[in-house]
Amino acid sequence: MIETVHHLVLHVVFILFSILLFQMFTRESEWDKKRFDLKFLFMNIVILVFTMIFPVVYSSGYVYDFKVVPIIIAFIYGGTRVGFAVFLAMLTIGLFTDHVMLKLIANYTIYCLLLIPLSTWYRKLKWKNKLLLISLFYFFIPVTRALFLIQKNETGQLPLMISSTVIIWLTLISTIYLIENGLEQIRIKKELVKAEKFNVVSQLAASVAHEIRNPMTTVRGFMQLLQGESLSKEQKSFINISIQELDRAQEVINQYLSLAKPQTEEYEVFSVSDALDESVEVMSTYAVMNSIEVKKDIEENLRIKGLSFEVKQVFVNILKNAIEAVKENGEITAAAAGTKDGQIMITIRDNGAGMPPEQVKVLGTPYYSTKEKGTGLGLTVCYQIVKRMNGDIRVKSELNAGTTFTILLPKHT
């Protein structure tokens, strides 16, 4: 029995070492994807080959190994395509090892089909719930085997089955921990880089914004005085353009100051339903000018804790972007509803030009904008406001199909 456990521990070391090697040779950009691909597939196949060639064989037809580990992590981190590729590799290896092919095909076909919806749920869960879900799924395998052994009156095999189950389960949990820890480290690094960018922008704004604003105000005043003089139509046109550009520069400075200024006002409880409704009314004239219809589907009496003028700023900014992204005779939908998990979901959807995935990824970062004359600071401020309220902004977009902004905010009860 002790020798068998030592044999299983050797498999544990090999699997964890393979995971660490994968992390070492995987670039940060590859970790940033929703799912892993070829390197991840290769790693799982290597683990399969090792564990299936050197299994613990109790007797004919009863084989104990770790093949369930690469199968599970292939589906939950690699997706359906990688998962079934690993499944086919397992069947191929099974032809040349001491496995009963009929049992292998029947059992793991069922497991793989169950893993398809399970992997979708898994990606939506938090850390503890992920471990619980995978543990429940894994224990389904040894429980069914234990019932089969009891039915066949082969209870002498149960101690080996229980010990191998515990070791394989601990290996599965350790493997998931290593992968999730790697993903978390990448996420934290990205947050630190983003925070550093915000810090630089804030310092810049605090240093120069006021000094720039004062001479600009003076220049604008003299421009307005010149408008009253006897000037040609062309000269007046030049002055109007100059004033418009000064106003645009003033707006950019205000956005910088919105990033830099500390939050001193206390939060209040207010109706986000009313805030969204008012924001839509404010932007409706701008939409009509561009022949765009704005539809509303707002649930009443949705209340949150925050600053109403800031939340309206977020809505107006996103609605303005949506209007500018939609061509003539387009459509925008503004909706708000409560969710089962105690949040409020605000959705602003348009049928405009849309964006490719690489643009969606960098939305909200300073200096990035899809507009020719944009600074990207408008959305940056929106992301900051929502983050301060413990909320989240999610963006889905497809080229020539439109963009959907989803804002999640904690509901006040």
Side-chain angles (χ1 to χ4, degrees), residues 248 251 255 279-280 282-284 286-287 290 292 294 312-326 332 348 350 369 371 373-374 378-379 382 405:
R248 196 173 75 85
E251 185 181 346
Q255 290 174 341
S279 300
V280 172
V282 167
M283 298 305 297
S284 60
Y286 186 39
N290 291 275
I292 296 168
V294 181
K312 288 177 185 177
Q313 181 183 355
V314 173
F315 295 156
V316 167
N317 199 305
I318 295 176
L319 283 166
K320 182 174 179 289
N321 288 343
I323 292 169
E324 291 172 352
V326 176
I332 296 171
I348 297 174
D350 66 63
S369 175
K371 302 175 188 176
K373 295 185 178 181
L379 273 182
C382 292
F405 273 81

mmCIF file of all heavy atoms in Angstrom, residues 248 251 255 279-280 282-284 286-287 290 292 294 312-326 332 348 350 369 371 373-374 378-379 382 405:
data_model
loop_
_atom_site.group_PDB
_atom_site.id
_atom_site.type_symbol
_atom_site.label_atom_id
_atom_site.label_comp_id
_atom_site.label_asym_id
_atom_site.label_seq_id
_atom_site.Cartn_x
_atom_site.Cartn_y
_atom_site.Cartn_z
ATOM 1 N N ARG A 248 -13.037 73.447 -26.227
ATOM 2 C CA ARG A 248 -12.688 72.029 -26.232
ATOM 3 C C ARG A 248 -11.475 71.760 -25.330
ATOM 4 O O ARG A 248 -11.437 70.777 -24.595
ATOM 5 C CB ARG A 248 -12.387 71.551 -27.656
ATOM 6 C CG ARG A 248 -12.398 70.032 -27.813
ATOM 7 C CD ARG A 248 -12.255 69.632 -29.267
ATOM 8 N NE ARG A 248 -10.897 69.800 -29.736
ATOM 9 C CZ ARG A 248 -9.942 68.868 -29.573
ATOM 10 N NH1 ARG A 248 -10.205 67.738 -28.939
ATOM 11 N NH2 ARG A 248 -8.732 69.074 -30.036
ATOM 12 N N GLU A 251 -12.616 71.768 -21.820
ATOM 13 C CA GLU A 251 -13.280 70.509 -21.465
ATOM 14 C C GLU A 251 -12.253 69.433 -21.127
ATOM 15 O O GLU A 251 -12.431 68.662 -20.185
ATOM 16 C CB GLU A 251 -14.167 70.043 -22.626
ATOM 17 C CG GLU A 251 -14.979 68.801 -22.299
ATOM 18 C CD GLU A 251 -15.834 68.354 -23.478
ATOM 19 O OE1 GLU A 251 -16.001 69.139 -24.432
ATOM 20 O OE2 GLU A 251 -16.307 67.206 -23.435
ATOM 21 N N GLN A 255 -11.697 67.417 -17.551
ATOM 22 C CA GLN A 255 -11.612 65.962 -17.421
ATOM 23 C C GLN A 255 -10.362 65.547 -16.641
ATOM 24 O O GLN A 255 -10.393 64.629 -15.837
ATOM 25 C CB GLN A 255 -11.618 65.319 -18.801
ATOM 26 C CG GLN A 255 -12.969 65.418 -19.503
ATOM 27 C CD GLN A 255 -12.922 64.896 -20.929
ATOM 28 O OE1 GLN A 255 -11.871 64.776 -21.529
ATOM 29 N NE2 GLN A 255 -14.090 64.602 -21.471
ATOM 30 N N SER A 279 -30.771 61.477 -17.758
ATOM 31 C CA SER A 279 -29.620 61.502 -18.681
ATOM 32 C C SER A 279 -30.069 61.255 -20.115
ATOM 33 O O SER A 279 -29.574 61.896 -21.056
ATOM 34 C CB SER A 279 -28.590 60.446 -18.265
ATOM 35 O OG SER A 279 -28.124 60.677 -16.958
ATOM 36 N N VAL A 280 -31.027 60.342 -20.276
ATOM 37 C CA VAL A 280 -31.560 60.069 -21.617
ATOM 38 C C VAL A 280 -32.275 61.298 -22.159
ATOM 39 O O VAL A 280 -32.134 61.650 -23.337
ATOM 40 C CB VAL A 280 -32.511 58.846 -21.593
ATOM 41 C CG1 VAL A 280 -33.222 58.689 -22.939
ATOM 42 C CG2 VAL A 280 -31.738 57.571 -21.264
ATOM 43 N N VAL A 282 -31.660 64.415 -21.382
ATOM 44 C CA VAL A 282 -30.647 65.419 -21.706
ATOM 45 C C VAL A 282 -30.051 65.169 -23.085
ATOM 46 O O VAL A 282 -29.823 66.097 -23.871
ATOM 47 C CB VAL A 282 -29.531 65.420 -20.625
ATOM 48 C CG1 VAL A 282 -28.316 66.230 -21.104
ATOM 49 C CG2 VAL A 282 -30.063 66.002 -19.323
ATOM 50 N N MET A 283 -29.791 63.888 -23.401
ATOM 51 C CA MET A 283 -29.129 63.542 -24.663
ATOM 52 C C MET A 283 -30.105 63.321 -25.813
ATOM 53 O O MET A 283 -29.675 63.101 -26.950
ATOM 54 C CB MET A 283 -28.285 62.272 -24.479
ATOM 55 C CG MET A 283 -27.154 62.412 -23.467
ATOM 56 S SD MET A 283 -26.053 63.801 -23.826
ATOM 57 C CE MET A 283 -25.392 63.319 -25.415
ATOM 58 N N SER A 284 -31.420 63.378 -25.544
ATOM 59 C CA SER A 284 -32.405 63.080 -26.587
ATOM 60 C C SER A 284 -32.352 64.089 -27.740
ATOM 61 O O SER A 284 -32.497 63.726 -28.910
ATOM 62 C CB SER A 284 -33.814 63.039 -25.987
ATOM 63 O OG SER A 284 -34.136 64.286 -25.398
ATOM 64 N N TYR A 286 -29.704 65.781 -28.792
ATOM 65 C CA TYR A 286 -28.507 65.461 -29.577
ATOM 66 C C TYR A 286 -28.771 64.249 -30.468
ATOM 67 O O TYR A 286 -28.331 64.187 -31.614
ATOM 68 C CB TYR A 286 -27.345 65.196 -28.624
ATOM 69 C CG TYR A 286 -26.000 64.999 -29.285
ATOM 70 C CD1 TYR A 286 -25.598 65.754 -30.379
ATOM 71 C CD2 TYR A 286 -25.102 64.049 -28.803
ATOM 72 C CE1 TYR A 286 -24.367 65.580 -30.977
ATOM 73 C CE2 TYR A 286 -23.869 63.858 -29.389
ATOM 74 C CZ TYR A 286 -23.502 64.629 -30.480
ATOM 75 O OH TYR A 286 -22.284 64.441 -31.068
ATOM 76 N N ALA A 287 -29.531 63.267 -29.935
ATOM 77 C CA ALA A 287 -29.862 62.071 -30.716
ATOM 78 C C ALA A 287 -30.779 62.412 -31.880
ATOM 79 O O ALA A 287 -30.584 61.928 -33.007
ATOM 80 C CB ALA A 287 -30.504 61.027 -29.810
ATOM 81 N N ASN A 290 -29.211 63.809 -34.887
ATOM 82 C CA ASN A 290 -28.516 62.813 -35.701
ATOM 83 C C ASN A 290 -29.452 61.713 -36.201
ATOM 84 O O ASN A 290 -28.998 60.657 -36.650
ATOM 85 C CB ASN A 290 -27.390 62.175 -34.875
ATOM 86 C CG ASN A 290 -26.262 63.139 -34.589
ATOM 87 O OD1 ASN A 290 -25.357 63.320 -35.385
ATOM 88 N ND2 ASN A 290 -26.332 63.788 -33.424
ATOM 89 N N ILE A 292 -31.458 59.679 -34.608
ATOM 90 C CA ILE A 292 -31.287 58.446 -33.840
ATOM 91 C C ILE A 292 -32.402 58.337 -32.816
ATOM 92 O O ILE A 292 -32.727 59.307 -32.117
ATOM 93 C CB ILE A 292 -29.910 58.424 -33.131
ATOM 94 C CG1 ILE A 292 -28.784 58.405 -34.169
ATOM 95 C CG2 ILE A 292 -29.788 57.225 -32.209
ATOM 96 C CD1 ILE A 292 -27.419 58.663 -33.593
ATOM 97 N N VAL A 294 -33.800 56.857 -29.320
ATOM 98 C CA VAL A 294 -33.334 56.335 -28.039
ATOM 99 C C VAL A 294 -34.524 55.715 -27.310
ATOM 100 O O VAL A 294 -35.495 56.404 -26.990
ATOM 101 C CB VAL A 294 -32.698 57.442 -27.168
ATOM 102 C CG1 VAL A 294 -32.196 56.838 -25.857
ATOM 103 C CG2 VAL A 294 -31.555 58.118 -27.913
ATOM 104 N N LYS A 312 -24.757 60.516 -13.302
ATOM 105 C CA LYS A 312 -25.305 61.128 -14.522
ATOM 106 C C LYS A 312 -24.189 61.433 -15.517
ATOM 107 O O LYS A 312 -24.370 61.285 -16.729
ATOM 108 C CB LYS A 312 -26.058 62.411 -14.177
ATOM 109 C CG LYS A 312 -27.385 62.180 -13.461
ATOM 110 C CD LYS A 312 -28.027 63.497 -13.095
ATOM 111 C CE LYS A 312 -29.293 63.287 -12.265
ATOM 112 N NZ LYS A 312 -29.882 64.584 -11.839
ATOM 113 N N GLN A 313 -23.030 61.829 -15.003
ATOM 114 C CA GLN A 313 -21.879 62.094 -15.874
ATOM 115 C C GLN A 313 -21.472 60.831 -16.628
ATOM 116 O O GLN A 313 -21.160 60.881 -17.820
ATOM 117 C CB GLN A 313 -20.703 62.603 -15.028
ATOM 118 C CG GLN A 313 -19.452 62.931 -15.845
ATOM 119 C CD GLN A 313 -18.293 63.363 -14.961
ATOM 120 O OE1 GLN A 313 -18.423 63.510 -13.750
ATOM 121 N NE2 GLN A 313 -17.133 63.556 -15.570
ATOM 122 N N VAL A 314 -21.515 59.698 -15.929
ATOM 123 C CA VAL A 314 -21.188 58.414 -16.566
ATOM 124 C C VAL A 314 -22.202 58.103 -17.667
ATOM 125 O O VAL A 314 -21.830 57.770 -18.804
ATOM 126 C CB VAL A 314 -21.175 57.276 -15.527
ATOM 127 C CG1 VAL A 314 -21.016 55.910 -16.213
ATOM 128 C CG2 VAL A 314 -20.041 57.472 -14.526
ATOM 129 N N PHE A 315 -23.494 58.219 -17.346
ATOM 130 C CA PHE A 315 -24.545 57.905 -18.322
ATOM 131 C C PHE A 315 -24.469 58.825 -19.543
ATOM 132 O O PHE A 315 -24.565 58.359 -20.691
ATOM 133 C CB PHE A 315 -25.925 58.022 -17.670
ATOM 134 C CG PHE A 315 -26.190 57.020 -16.587
ATOM 135 C CD1 PHE A 315 -27.124 57.265 -15.588
ATOM 136 C CD2 PHE A 315 -25.493 55.822 -16.545
ATOM 137 C CE1 PHE A 315 -27.381 56.343 -14.594
ATOM 138 C CE2 PHE A 315 -25.728 54.891 -15.543
ATOM 139 C CZ PHE A 315 -26.675 55.161 -14.567
ATOM 140 N N VAL A 316 -24.322 60.116 -19.300
ATOM 141 C CA VAL A 316 -24.285 61.084 -20.407
ATOM 142 C C VAL A 316 -23.092 60.817 -21.317
ATOM 143 O O VAL A 316 -23.204 60.854 -22.550
ATOM 144 C CB VAL A 316 -24.243 62.525 -19.855
ATOM 145 C CG1 VAL A 316 -23.887 63.519 -20.952
ATOM 146 C CG2 VAL A 316 -25.587 62.896 -19.232
ATOM 147 N N ASN A 317 -21.936 60.509 -20.718
ATOM 148 C CA ASN A 317 -20.727 60.253 -21.505
ATOM 149 C C ASN A 317 -20.893 59.026 -22.397
ATOM 150 O O ASN A 317 -20.561 59.056 -23.590
ATOM 151 C CB ASN A 317 -19.531 60.063 -20.564
ATOM 152 C CG ASN A 317 -18.212 60.255 -21.274
ATOM 153 O OD1 ASN A 317 -17.938 59.616 -22.274
ATOM 154 N ND2 ASN A 317 -17.373 61.139 -20.746
ATOM 155 N N ILE A 318 -21.441 57.955 -21.818
ATOM 156 C CA ILE A 318 -21.614 56.718 -22.596
ATOM 157 C C ILE A 318 -22.688 56.899 -23.658
ATOM 158 O O ILE A 318 -22.549 56.425 -24.798
ATOM 159 C CB ILE A 318 -21.938 55.533 -21.659
ATOM 160 C CG1 ILE A 318 -20.736 55.252 -20.743
ATOM 161 C CG2 ILE A 318 -22.282 54.279 -22.467
ATOM 162 C CD1 ILE A 318 -20.977 54.173 -19.711
ATOM 163 N N LEU A 319 -23.771 57.604 -23.316
ATOM 164 C CA LEU A 319 -24.826 57.871 -24.302
ATOM 165 C C LEU A 319 -24.288 58.728 -25.450
ATOM 166 O O LEU A 319 -24.601 58.486 -26.621
ATOM 167 C CB LEU A 319 -26.002 58.575 -23.628
ATOM 168 C CG LEU A 319 -26.929 57.698 -22.786
ATOM 169 C CD1 LEU A 319 -27.828 58.550 -21.906
ATOM 170 C CD2 LEU A 319 -27.761 56.770 -23.667
ATOM 171 N N LYS A 320 -23.468 59.712 -25.121
ATOM 172 C CA LYS A 320 -22.875 60.575 -26.149
ATOM 173 C C LYS A 320 -21.986 59.751 -27.087
ATOM 174 O O LYS A 320 -22.043 59.905 -28.315
ATOM 175 C CB LYS A 320 -22.061 61.684 -25.489
ATOM 176 C CG LYS A 320 -21.431 62.683 -26.455
ATOM 177 C CD LYS A 320 -20.781 63.827 -25.678
ATOM 178 C CE LYS A 320 -20.127 64.830 -26.619
ATOM 179 N NZ LYS A 320 -18.907 64.293 -27.250
ATOM 180 N N ASN A 321 -21.179 58.877 -26.514
ATOM 181 C CA ASN A 321 -20.324 58.005 -27.331
ATOM 182 C C ASN A 321 -21.169 57.102 -28.234
ATOM 183 O O ASN A 321 -20.818 56.854 -29.392
ATOM 184 C CB ASN A 321 -19.424 57.147 -26.446
ATOM 185 C CG ASN A 321 -18.311 57.947 -25.797
ATOM 186 O OD1 ASN A 321 -18.013 59.062 -26.227
ATOM 187 N ND2 ASN A 321 -17.705 57.405 -24.767
ATOM 188 N N ALA A 322 -22.278 56.593 -27.680
ATOM 189 C CA ALA A 322 -23.157 55.716 -28.460
ATOM 190 C C ALA A 322 -23.767 56.471 -29.635
ATOM 191 O O ALA A 322 -23.821 55.959 -30.760
ATOM 192 C CB ALA A 322 -24.252 55.134 -27.560
ATOM 193 N N ILE A 323 -24.228 57.696 -29.384
ATOM 194 C CA ILE A 323 -24.827 58.506 -30.456
ATOM 195 C C ILE A 323 -23.813 58.771 -31.559
ATOM 196 O O ILE A 323 -24.124 58.692 -32.754
ATOM 197 C CB ILE A 323 -25.374 59.832 -29.878
ATOM 198 C CG1 ILE A 323 -26.578 59.545 -28.968
ATOM 199 C CG2 ILE A 323 -25.775 60.791 -30.995
ATOM 200 C CD1 ILE A 323 -27.027 60.733 -28.136
ATOM 201 N N GLU A 324 -22.576 59.080 -31.165
ATOM 202 C CA GLU A 324 -21.538 59.380 -32.152
ATOM 203 C C GLU A 324 -21.082 58.143 -32.917
ATOM 204 O O GLU A 324 -20.521 58.244 -34.006
ATOM 205 C CB GLU A 324 -20.349 60.043 -31.449
ATOM 206 C CG GLU A 324 -20.678 61.440 -30.941
ATOM 207 C CD GLU A 324 -19.578 62.029 -30.078
ATOM 208 O OE1 GLU A 324 -18.621 61.293 -29.755
ATOM 209 O OE2 GLU A 324 -19.680 63.217 -29.720
ATOM 210 N N ALA A 325 -21.316 56.946 -32.320
ATOM 211 C CA ALA A 325 -20.913 55.705 -32.989
ATOM 212 C C ALA A 325 -21.972 55.195 -33.963
ATOM 213 O O ALA A 325 -21.682 54.389 -34.846
ATOM 214 C CB ALA A 325 -20.626 54.619 -31.945
ATOM 215 N N VAL A 326 -23.213 55.687 -33.788
ATOM 216 C CA VAL A 326 -24.331 55.205 -34.605
ATOM 217 C C VAL A 326 -24.481 56.092 -35.837
ATOM 218 O O VAL A 326 -24.366 57.312 -35.771
ATOM 219 C CB VAL A 326 -25.638 55.208 -33.791
ATOM 220 C CG1 VAL A 326 -26.820 54.814 -34.663
ATOM 221 C CG2 VAL A 326 -25.527 54.260 -32.614
ATOM 222 N N ILE A 332 -30.641 53.346 -30.146
ATOM 223 C CA ILE A 332 -29.940 53.155 -28.867
ATOM 224 C C ILE A 332 -30.973 52.757 -27.827
ATOM 225 O O ILE A 332 -32.068 53.314 -27.774
ATOM 226 C CB ILE A 332 -29.207 54.440 -28.436
ATOM 227 C CG1 ILE A 332 -28.096 54.782 -29.436
ATOM 228 C CG2 ILE A 332 -28.626 54.301 -27.035
ATOM 229 C CD1 ILE A 332 -27.470 56.139 -29.200
ATOM 230 N N ILE A 348 -26.522 50.092 -21.824
ATOM 231 C CA ILE A 348 -26.667 51.070 -22.906
ATOM 232 C C ILE A 348 -26.148 50.407 -24.176
ATOM 233 O O ILE A 348 -24.958 50.127 -24.304
ATOM 234 C CB ILE A 348 -25.898 52.369 -22.599
ATOM 235 C CG1 ILE A 348 -26.485 53.029 -21.337
ATOM 236 C CG2 ILE A 348 -25.970 53.324 -23.790
ATOM 237 C CD1 ILE A 348 -25.724 54.244 -20.860
ATOM 238 N N ASP A 350 -26.090 50.105 -28.501
ATOM 239 C CA ASP A 350 -26.304 50.788 -29.774
ATOM 240 C C ASP A 350 -26.073 49.811 -30.926
ATOM 241 O O ASP A 350 -25.508 48.739 -30.736
ATOM 242 C CB ASP A 350 -25.371 52.005 -29.915
ATOM 243 C CG ASP A 350 -23.896 51.616 -30.010
ATOM 244 O OD1 ASP A 350 -23.518 50.936 -30.982
ATOM 245 O OD2 ASP A 350 -23.113 51.985 -29.114
ATOM 246 N N SER A 369 -8.442 56.762 -27.411
ATOM 247 C CA SER A 369 -9.778 57.112 -27.887
ATOM 248 C C SER A 369 -9.935 56.638 -29.328
ATOM 249 O O SER A 369 -8.974 56.659 -30.105
ATOM 250 C CB SER A 369 -9.997 58.630 -27.815
ATOM 251 O OG SER A 369 -11.244 58.980 -28.374
ATOM 252 N N LYS A 371 -11.991 58.209 -31.233
ATOM 253 C CA LYS A 371 -12.366 59.421 -31.962
ATOM 254 C C LYS A 371 -11.105 60.136 -32.452
ATOM 255 O O LYS A 371 -10.054 60.086 -31.800
ATOM 256 C CB LYS A 371 -13.162 60.360 -31.057
ATOM 257 C CG LYS A 371 -14.428 59.740 -30.493
ATOM 258 C CD LYS A 371 -15.077 60.700 -29.527
ATOM 259 C CE LYS A 371 -16.229 60.055 -28.782
ATOM 260 N NZ LYS A 371 -16.807 60.956 -27.773
ATOM 261 N N LYS A 373 -10.430 63.326 -32.535
ATOM 262 C CA LYS A 373 -9.989 64.397 -31.649
ATOM 263 C C LYS A 373 -10.200 64.047 -30.176
ATOM 264 O O LYS A 373 -10.145 64.919 -29.319
ATOM 265 C CB LYS A 373 -10.738 65.705 -31.977
ATOM 266 C CG LYS A 373 -10.432 66.262 -33.358
ATOM 267 C CD LYS A 373 -11.109 67.602 -33.554
ATOM 268 C CE LYS A 373 -10.777 68.205 -34.901
ATOM 269 N NZ LYS A 373 -11.418 69.527 -35.102
ATOM 270 N N GLY A 374 -10.416 62.794 -29.869
ATOM 271 C CA GLY A 374 -10.676 62.396 -28.491
ATOM 272 C C GLY A 374 -9.400 62.198 -27.689
ATOM 273 O O GLY A 374 -8.329 61.964 -28.234
ATOM 274 N N GLY A 378 -12.722 60.928 -21.062
ATOM 275 C CA GLY A 378 -14.133 60.822 -20.687
ATOM 276 C C GLY A 378 -14.462 59.454 -20.125
ATOM 277 O O GLY A 378 -15.029 59.320 -19.034
ATOM 278 N N LEU A 379 -14.087 58.401 -20.857
ATOM 279 C CA LEU A 379 -14.339 57.040 -20.371
ATOM 280 C C LEU A 379 -13.465 56.708 -19.166
ATOM 281 O O LEU A 379 -13.870 55.943 -18.290
ATOM 282 C CB LEU A 379 -14.096 56.019 -21.491
ATOM 283 C CG LEU A 379 -15.280 55.728 -22.404
ATOM 284 C CD1 LEU A 379 -14.912 54.662 -23.434
ATOM 285 C CD2 LEU A 379 -16.490 55.257 -21.606
ATOM 286 N N CYS A 382 -15.276 57.864 -16.268
ATOM 287 C CA CYS A 382 -16.422 56.971 -16.032
ATOM 288 C C CYS A 382 -15.991 55.716 -15.286
ATOM 289 O O CYS A 382 -16.640 55.296 -14.315
ATOM 290 C CB CYS A 382 -17.080 56.587 -17.356
ATOM 291 S SG CYS A 382 -17.906 57.942 -18.203
ATOM 292 N N PHE A 405 -22.615 48.624 -23.448
ATOM 293 C CA PHE A 405 -21.972 48.941 -22.173
ATOM 294 C C PHE A 405 -22.890 48.444 -21.056
ATOM 295 O O PHE A 405 -24.059 48.829 -20.990
ATOM 296 C CB PHE A 405 -21.768 50.450 -22.029
ATOM 297 C CG PHE A 405 -20.492 50.957 -22.638
ATOM 298 C CD1 PHE A 405 -20.412 51.194 -23.996
ATOM 299 C CD2 PHE A 405 -19.381 51.188 -21.848
ATOM 300 C CE1 PHE A 405 -19.239 51.665 -24.572
ATOM 301 C CE2 PHE A 405 -18.200 51.658 -22.411
ATOM 302 C CZ PHE A 405 -18.115 51.889 -23.764
#
